[in-house]
Amino acid sequence: YAMALYNQHVCPVDNWMYNQSCEVDLSMQRGPTMCCTLDNVPLISKCGTLPPESCFFSLICSTGSFMVMVIVLLRYAHVIEKHQNCVLNTASLSTGWICAAGLIMVGNFQVDNAKVLHYVGAGVAFPTSMLFVCLQSALTYRLAKTQGEYNMGHLRLIMTLLAFVALVLSGVFFVQESFVLQHASAIFEWVFCVIIMLFYGTFAFEFAGISSDTMMVLARGQSLQSASRDHKMESLGGANQPESLSIL
């Protein structure tokens, strides 16, 4: 946004005055008062449409997609390691990775160059990211045992509700023809993305307890405690087998 604003490709967030058309393009205007149209609304996609900001937009989205995949996978393994696998955990992993796929499409197919693919990616990334935070909020409450974990659940629930409101308002205002509502849609879109990124930051609370055993969980597909119990049962079964044959 800062780069697009510096290059005068989008209007400032505090500018609510738009026109149907302008005599000259925004990039050619000078002075404190700018003539803006719907092509200059500071939507995230619009901020990453024209070079040079489009290059950084693709880079950030691609890197962010990879980070989402890693964070979601670590969270999946952490839940299995500390507790056990469940439907919520598996569903969170799936939705997180689908969101990452949509984010790659959004970043590499700019809206002015490949509108259909861009909107397909946005239609995948936004709902799945919302679903992911909903599942993680429910999972946090389900696994909570200490007061700190319950407090983290409360925080994530509040962030989820705020993100849901921002996403709904952004979508409702986006389909309107009003300049003011389009501008409001852009603001709520930025708010939604910031909340989602802050939500990912809350995983630092759980990731503080990650160890080398977490990666072993990914390889085994089950918690180390469960694997240890299975090994003991196999050992006991092997030890009792001769006695069973003798009795037989």
Side-chain angles (χ1 to χ4, degrees):
Y1 165 75
M3 188 175 295
L5 186 62
Y6 177 80
N7 293 319
Q8 292 185 293
H9 291 158
V10 296
C11 279
V13 172
D14 58 353
N15 177 53
W16 293 82
M17 300 299 297
Y18 287 85
N19 298 330
Q20 292 287 351
S21 61
C22 299
E23 295 181 0
V24 295
D25 294 336
L26 182 64
S27 58
M28 301 175 61
Q29 299 180 41
R30 294 293 182 269
T33 304
M34 301 293 181
C35 179
C36 300
T37 65
L38 280 178
D39 292 332
N40 311 123
V41 178
L43 294 161
I44 297 178
S45 300
K46 287 293 184 180
C47 291
T49 296
L50 299 176
E53 54 265 21
S54 60
C55 304
F56 286 93
F57 182 67
S58 298
L59 178 62
I60 290 172
C61 288
S62 299
T63 305
S65 176
F66 173 75
M67 293 178 65
V68 166
M69 294 180 65
V70 172
I71 292 174
V72 169
L73 184 62
L74 288 177
R75 172 61 171 164
Y76 173 78
H78 177 267
V79 171
I80 297 177
E81 178 189 10
K82 299 301 181 181
H83 307 278
Q84 61 181 358
N85 200 6
C86 59
V87 176
L88 286 176
N89 194 34
T90 304
S92 296
L93 176 67
S94 301
T95 54
W97 280 22
I98 294 174
C99 174
L103 186 58
I104 289 180
M105 294 185 65
V106 169
N108 292 278
F109 298 99
Q110 283 80 26
V111 65
D112 287 352
N113 302 321
K115 182 174 292 186
V116 175
L117 292 176
H118 181 86
Y119 283 145
V120 168
V124 171
F126 280 88
T128 52
S129 61
M130 187 68 245
L131 180 58
F132 174 77
V133 297
C134 290
L135 292 173
Q136 284 297 325
S137 297
L139 187 62
T140 303
Y141 276 113
R142 179 175 180 178
L143 303 178
K145 296 180 180 179
T146 64
Q147 185 60 42
E149 292 173 343
Y150 277 107
N151 292 336
M152 181 56 63
H154 300 333
L155 175 61
R156 288 175 178 168
L157 177 60
I158 294 173
M159 297 177 71
T160 300
L161 294 176
L162 292 176
F164 179 75
V165 173
L167 180 62
V168 171
L169 292 179
S170 176
V172 171
F173 292 161
F174 180 76
V175 298
Q176 306 299 323
E177 296 181 358
S178 170
F179 297 128
V180 175
L181 294 182
Q182 286 275 337
H183 193 82
S185 173
I187 294 177
F188 281 114
E189 186 181 50
W190 280 103
V191 170
F192 172 78
C193 291
V194 170
I195 293 175
I196 295 298
M197 288 188 287
L198 292 176
F199 190 98
Y200 276 98
T202 62
F203 288 128
F205 179 78
E206 286 89 359
F207 289 174
I210 281 182
S211 63
S212 58
D213 293 338
T214 306
M215 304 311 298
M216 294 297 297
V217 168
L218 291 176
R220 292 175 178 270
Q222 59 180 339
S223 65
L224 297 181
Q225 292 84 350
S226 299
S228 178
R229 288 196 300 267
D230 294 343
H231 180 70
K232 290 180 180 179
M233 292 298 295
E234 292 176 358
S235 300
L236 291 175
N240 294 332
Q241 185 176 5
E243 296 181 4
S244 301
L245 292 176
S246 301
I247 294 174
L248 182 60

